[in-house]
Amino acid sequence: MFKLNLKIALRNLWRNIGITSINVGGLAVALAAFMLLMMYFTYETSFDKKNPNFDNIYIVGRTFPDFKTNYTPPPFGKAIKENFSEVVAVGKMKKGGFELAVSSHTSTVFTKQQLFVEYEAAKMFNIIPEGGLKKPNGNEFLYYLSKPYMQTLFPNKKDTKPEMVSIGSRSAEQFGEVRGSIVPDSHSNISFDAVSIVNEIGTGESYGHPNYFTYIQVKPGTDIASLELKINNLYHSELTKNGMVDEGEDVTETNAFLDPLKNQHLKPKAGSDANYKVLIALSVLGFLILVIACINFTNLSIAQAAKRAKEVGVKKVMGAYRFQLTIQFLIEILMQCLVATVLGLIIAEIVLPKFNSLFLVHLSIWNKENGLIWQLPVILLFITLIAGIYPAMVLSGFKPAAVLKGNFQTSRQSYWLRNSLLVVQFSIAVIFITGLLIINSQLKYMRTQDVGFNPEQVVYVKNLVYYTKPEVFAPVREKIMKIPGVKAVTVANAIPDGSGMGGNGYTVEGKQHSLSFLDVDYDYFETLNIKLKEGRAFSTSFQADAVNSAILNEAAVAKYGIQNPIGKTIRGCNIDYTIVGVINDLKAEGFEKAVEPTIYAINNPCGNPKTEIMVKVDEQRMAEVLAILKSQWSDINKRDGDNFRYHFLDELYGKLFAKQEQLQSVFFAAALLTIFIAILGLFAFAKYITNGRIKEIAVRKILGANDLQIFKLINTSFFVMVMIANLISWPLAYILTKKWLETFAYRIEIPILPFVLSALITIMLTIITVTIQANRAVRANPVDALKYE
């Protein structure tokens, strides 16, 4: 019986090869997209899951009235360990501030992610060097490089013995010992290419040095809410005990919190959850694409039901039960889904390199960790049931007497279901088209909007030297300015690339608020072409500028509500600054975050050292200037002279748009894919409808109807369905795009044009598709359709 049913299934599929190809092809393309997005979802949601302590690790953070941060003072971790028995381990980490050159006799690598890790933190995060994790002796630093870097420096190394390397410029003759290599987990939030393991970091530093990441590991089953409350109370008492708050001052303005390790990659409390929202959007997108393909499958299967009616009638007369027929048709559908899955895997493998390039990942279909091994059978079963259960029930439910008498007619319920599914299909397509157009509008706005500074033609030069005082940087500026084509040179403790700045409390006219601070040098505003709203920029003509002058941005002035700020005093870091200027706000952190109220000063004892050199270059002489800088760098910057390295500031700033550009690319692909699948289904459905109305068309032509009237007749029902789809999808598209736009502090108002364009696109495609399919029936000779009547 199985063999017979298999033959019938194969013959039936071959007889309707056109519909079968559309069914299988559309489903295969959708499955390929769904598999890629599911692999990406699995990858993004499984960071650090290899860590055996994954569920019990938390980072300690702090909440201020205006922001949250994961940076904590070094003594706090030790206090937590001493006071709470449910905390089994505490470890601190700190990121290095420099890109260091590490050299052997033959090669050089640049460590961009230097990490200082306590021994307890290394155990907690499974940071195990090759040869095993060793506990440092006393204040000893155990320095390790990543495996790829170690192989570059010592390609022929076979043993595990330490090696001597030069750190920084070779001319500085600073040497260190590399104890070995570590294979870094590329799927972890803790990333590094060089790591120093020590017993304790931050020794001797107080609660006034919150520059460390503090992680705790708790006992399984710990009440985290209760522990968080106790840690917060401890933090307040520690601040009071160590003199960090004045007597009677409200300590509750700063609170400690715990954030689980599983949140750190996608939705940290002290950070943006934009990545999480984008991931959810991509996951929903992938699911909707699969739903469209399943709708296509269901619609076409129901449309083909009439051709199987006599087969069902004969089988029922011969004694077949409805259950047996349902299983038979489900197996047929399973066969098609299985072929579609294999084709989907092939398509996914072909597209994967482009996908990896777009999302900057290294996914592989044949990697067991991506979850496809168990996901594919589930997906196959899911689509078989979703796409096949209703058609199978319809086919198996035909009444033998009716179909064998020749008066079989599909039910009105099937008619409404087919039309409803087509409406849903086009509704999803319209949402994608509208979403794509609105994303394009927001990205165009971001690219063309004035960001408050000009990063173009600005070269950011890597550097190891502290230029905290202007007189130290003055000789460097003078040498660089002598190069033909250089317009301006400055140094600061941060560059406007979205990396953020430090924060501190400042008081104006009795009002205290937390401000971001940026430590700059002369010509900072000129180099970046930052416009002054009022007052003046820092100048060597005013000696006080290097001591206690400050410039605020518009957001800071608005925060304090200062009227006529020039000449007024702002106090912070135990210095009374005189406000000498106000600048326009600059979107240094992109469009997703509101501009931080910021203070700019040359002298700031609370800030980080000024190391970031920026050079404004004439556009016509960029290559010449870079060549001269490279050749003269050993004289300009003796400490780092061997290794001249640079980036273009506009490229660094442009990376802030990367996630949204990814979303744009994915929505573009999704819009094309959904339109393609919908048009495939529409094409086959129109063919079915047209074939069913051949005699009606012939009669109308005999009675005098012209071709245009018949085309209008056939298109009318599809036009109505597409319009209904647009009316349904517009509110949904509006709500979804509004939610997405709300993730931006600076955004467009939702325009009407994308909704109008999506309607025009879908209507035009529908008319063209249906007209092409109906053309043969319209052009046919009426005699051929009616000669047997």
Side-chain angles (χ1 to χ4, degrees):
M1 190 68 179
F2 175 79
K3 188 176 179 181
L4 177 62
N5 286 334
L6 182 62
K7 279 184 179 181
I8 293 172
L10 291 173
R11 286 172 180 170
N12 184 65
L13 294 175
W14 183 254
R15 189 183 306 118
N16 299 287
I17 189 66
I19 299 296
T20 302
S21 299
I22 290 173
N23 259 354
V24 173
L27 193 56
V29 172
L31 276 170
F34 183 74
M35 282 187 278
L36 290 174
L37 291 174
M38 283 305 298
M39 285 167 58
Y40 183 67
F41 181 87
T42 302
Y43 174 82
E44 288 290 299
T45 55
S46 58
F47 269 67
D48 283 308
K49 282 196 173 180
K50 290 181 183 177
N51 190 327
N53 309 309
F54 175 76
D55 293 320
N56 299 313
I57 295 177
Y58 293 79
I59 190 170
V60 183
R62 297 179 301 150
T63 302
F64 291 85
D66 303 314
F67 65 95
K68 293 180 179 180
T69 178
N70 283 336
Y71 287 102
T72 49
F76 190 36
K78 185 180 290 186
I80 292 173
K81 183 70 172 68
E82 291 173 351
N83 282 275
F84 305 115
S85 58
E86 55 263 61
V87 177
V88 297
V90 174
K92 296 191 293 292
M93 297 184 189
K94 184 178 181 179
K95 294 179 180 178
F98 295 111
E99 180 180 300
L100 284 171
V102 180
S103 306
S104 63
H105 294 296
T106 57
S107 304
T108 299
V109 295
F110 297 98
T111 57
K112 299 178 182 179
Q113 298 184 82
Q114 170 72 41
L115 193 64
F116 297 90
V117 181
E118 289 183 345
Y119 174 73
E120 286 296 325
K123 287 200 301 182
M124 196 185 301
F125 282 94
N126 233 21
I127 301 175
I128 310 296
E130 291 188 330
L133 177 63
K134 297 177 182 177
K135 186 174 176 63
N137 296 318
N139 296 324
E140 182 183 26
F141 276 65
L142 302 181
Y143 185 62
Y144 299 91
L145 290 173
S146 67
K147 182 75 171 178
Y149 277 18
M150 200 68 175
Q151 289 176 337
T152 300
L153 294 178
F154 305 100
N156 299 317
K157 185 175 175 62
K158 302 297 182 184
D159 55 47
T160 57
K161 294 179 181 178
E163 299 284 352
M164 293 300 296
V165 293
S166 169
I167 299 177
S169 173
R170 290 179 187 270
S171 58
E173 296 185 345
Q174 294 180 350
F175 299 97
E177 187 178 65
V178 179
R179 294 300 185 98
S181 62
I182 297 179
V183 179
D185 183 2
S186 60
H187 207 185
S188 171
N189 290 294
I190 309 301
S191 58
F192 56 85
D193 46 36
V195 60
S196 295
I197 298 176
V198 297
N199 280 321
E200 186 177 358
I201 53 177
T203 54
E205 295 185 18
S206 68
Y207 277 83
H209 298 84
N211 300 315
Y212 298 84
F213 297 114
T214 302
Y215 293 92
I216 65 171
Q217 181 181 334
V218 302
K219 293 178 180 176
T222 298
D223 185 342
I224 299 302
S226 173
L227 178 61
E228 185 177 53
L229 180 62
K230 291 190 287 186
I231 287 176
N232 185 47
N233 292 334
L234 174 66
Y235 179 61
H236 290 159
S237 65
E238 288 290 307
L239 289 180
T240 305
K241 185 170 69 176
N242 288 274
M244 296 303 297
V245 292
D246 297 329
E247 189 174 347
E249 187 178 341
D250 184 11
V251 296
T252 59
E253 286 195 354
T254 307
N255 295 296
F257 65 83
L258 297 179
D259 199 16
L261 179 61
K262 64 184 178 182
N263 284 357
Q264 295 311 297
H265 182 62
L266 291 173
K267 47 180 182 177
K269 289 183 180 179
S272 170
D273 63 349
N275 289 346
Y276 177 73
K277 290 177 179 177
V278 168
L279 183 65
I280 295 299
L282 292 177
S283 304
V284 172
L285 183 150
F287 181 74
L288 289 177
I289 289 173
L290 191 60
V291 167
I292 285 180
C294 289
I295 287 173
N296 229 25
F297 199 107
T298 303
N299 229 351
L300 295 178
S301 297
I302 295 172
Q304 290 290 99
K307 294 184 178 181
R308 307 293 299 275
K310 289 184 179 180
E311 175 192 338
V312 172
V314 170
K315 284 190 173 182
K316 282 195 170 184
V317 169
M318 298 295 291
Y321 292 102
R322 184 173 185 180
F323 173 76
Q324 293 172 314
L325 293 170
T326 302
I327 295 298
Q328 175 197 334
F329 292 128
L330 278 176
I331 289 173
E332 287 185 24
I333 291 167
L334 175 62
M335 289 168 57
Q336 295 178 68
C337 291
L338 188 59
V339 173
T341 303
V342 174
L343 288 175
L345 279 170
I346 295 170
I347 295 169
E349 181 68 25
I350 293 170
V351 176
L352 190 58
K354 184 69 176 177
F355 186 88
N356 283 338
S357 175
L358 176 64
F359 286 94
L360 304 177
V361 291
H362 301 284
L363 303 180
S364 171
I365 290 176
W366 313 112
N367 183 352
K368 64 180 181 180
E369 293 178 1
N370 62 24
L372 280 183
I373 291 177
W374 65 267
Q375 287 174 358
L376 271 182
V378 173
I379 293 168
L380 183 61
L381 181 63
F382 172 79
I383 60 176
T384 300
L385 291 175
I386 294 298
I389 192 67
Y390 188 82
M393 295 299 292
V394 170
L395 288 167
S396 62
F398 294 154
K399 295 179 179 179
V403 296
L404 294 178
K405 286 178 182 178
N407 60 357
F408 166 76
Q409 189 175 355
T410 52
S411 68
R412 194 168 187 81
Q413 288 81 3
S414 294
Y415 170 80
W416 280 106
L417 179 64
R418 290 199 307 270
N419 289 351
S420 300
L421 290 178
L422 196 64
V423 167
V424 171
Q425 201 171 32
F426 270 92
S427 296
I428 296 172
V430 169
I431 290 172
F432 283 148
I433 295 169
T434 308
L436 172 64
L437 294 173
I438 291 176
I439 290 171
N440 287 343
S441 298
Q442 174 66 15
L443 283 175
K444 182 180 179 182
Y445 167 80
M446 290 162 61
R447 293 189 187 106
T448 57
Q449 183 76 357
D450 181 16
V451 296
F453 71 103
N454 184 9
E456 294 181 3
Q457 308 307 317
V458 176
V459 178
Y460 159 52
V461 183
K462 298 293 185 72
N463 159 63
L464 296 175
V465 183
Y466 289 177
Y467 292 116
T468 303
K469 296 182 178 180
E471 56 268 27
V472 178
F473 186 65
V476 175
R477 175 190 282 109
E478 185 179 346
K479 290 177 182 177
I480 296 176
M481 285 298 296
K482 287 180 180 178
I483 299 173
V486 173
K487 294 181 176 180
V489 182
T490 193
V491 68
N493 70 342
I495 59 173
D497 65 343
S499 54
M501 300 166 280
N504 196 25
Y506 292 86
T507 304
V508 180
E509 298 177 341
K511 300 176 183 176
Q512 184 177 25
H513 290 292
S514 178
L515 297 183
S516 295
F517 58 76
L518 194 65
D519 305 343
V520 301
D521 205 274
Y522 299 112
D523 293 337
Y524 176 82
F525 303 102
E526 293 81 356
T527 303
L528 295 176
N529 197 25
I530 298 171
K531 304 299 182 185
L532 281 162
K533 186 177 181 182
E534 55 183 304
R536 62 175 178 82
F538 297 128
S539 171
T540 53
S541 302
F542 299 90
Q543 292 184 354
D545 283 2
V547 181
N548 65 343
S549 292
I551 293 175
L552 304 183
N553 66 354
E554 292 175 289
V557 172
K559 189 163 192 173
Y560 287 103
I562 311 172
Q563 301 295 325
N564 303 316
I566 304 302
K568 292 191 175 178
T569 300
I570 179 169
R571 181 171 179 79
C573 272
N574 298 318
I575 294 177
D576 288 325
Y577 292 99
T578 300
I579 301 172
V580 298
V582 177
I583 62 164
N584 294 327
D585 287 338
L586 55 141
K587 300 177 180 66
E589 297 186 62
F591 285 72
E592 293 178 13
K593 292 181 65 177
V595 171
E596 296 282 352
T598 307
I599 180 172
Y600 299 81
I602 291 177
N603 178 31
N604 181 13
C606 294
N608 294 322
K610 287 180 276 191
T611 60
E612 317 293 358
I613 298 174
M614 288 170 279
V615 183
K616 182 78 170 180
V617 182
D618 184 275
E619 183 178 1
Q620 305 300 323
R621 310 187 73 168
M622 179 63 75
E624 178 187 345
V625 169
L626 290 174
I628 295 173
L629 275 172
K630 184 174 183 179
S631 64
Q632 296 182 5
W633 194 243
S634 57
D635 178 57
I636 296 171
N637 188 335
K638 297 184 185 299
R639 186 171 176 183
D640 196 26
D642 294 344
N643 306 296
F644 176 70
R645 306 177 310 287
Y646 66 91
H647 290 290
F648 293 112
L649 190 58
D650 57 347
E651 291 181 359
L652 295 177
Y653 186 72
K655 290 181 180 178
L656 294 178
F657 305 146
K659 276 293 177 187
Q660 307 309 329
E661 288 171 347
Q662 285 176 356
L663 192 62
Q664 180 193 33
S665 299
V666 171
F667 254 79
F668 179 73
L672 288 180
L673 193 57
T674 52
I675 291 171
F676 171 72
I677 295 172
I679 294 301
L680 277 182
L682 182 65
F683 190 81
F685 194 40
K687 180 179 180 180
Y688 167 75
I689 294 295
T690 304
N691 289 342
R693 302 180 71 176
I694 286 177
K695 292 179 182 179
E696 177 190 348
I697 292 169
V699 170
R700 288 180 181 275
K701 289 187 74 174
I702 290 171
L703 293 175
N706 59 36
D707 291 354
L708 184 61
Q709 289 173 321
I710 295 174
F711 279 130
K712 182 180 176 182
L713 172 71
I714 297 173
N715 272 290
T716 299
S717 60
F718 290 100
F719 175 81
V720 170
M721 284 189 282
V722 172
M723 283 306 302
I724 292 171
N726 275 275
L727 292 173
I728 291 172
S729 62
W730 284 344
L732 294 174
Y734 178 84
I735 293 168
L736 293 173
T737 52
K738 188 172 185 292
K739 286 286 185 185
W740 175 72
L741 286 172
E742 285 173 356
T743 63
F744 295 91
Y746 307 98
R747 56 184 179 265
I748 59 169
E749 293 295 327
I750 297 180
I752 297 175
L753 186 59
F755 298 91
V756 176
L757 285 176
S758 64
L760 291 175
I761 290 170
T762 50
I763 289 169
M764 288 296 295
L765 288 173
T766 300
I767 291 173
I768 292 169
T769 303
V770 175
T771 300
I772 289 173
Q773 185 58 269
N775 184 60
R776 191 178 66 175
V778 172
R779 300 293 181 190
N781 190 339
V783 174
D784 294 333
L786 300 174
K787 62 184 177 182
Y788 295 112
E789 296 298 320

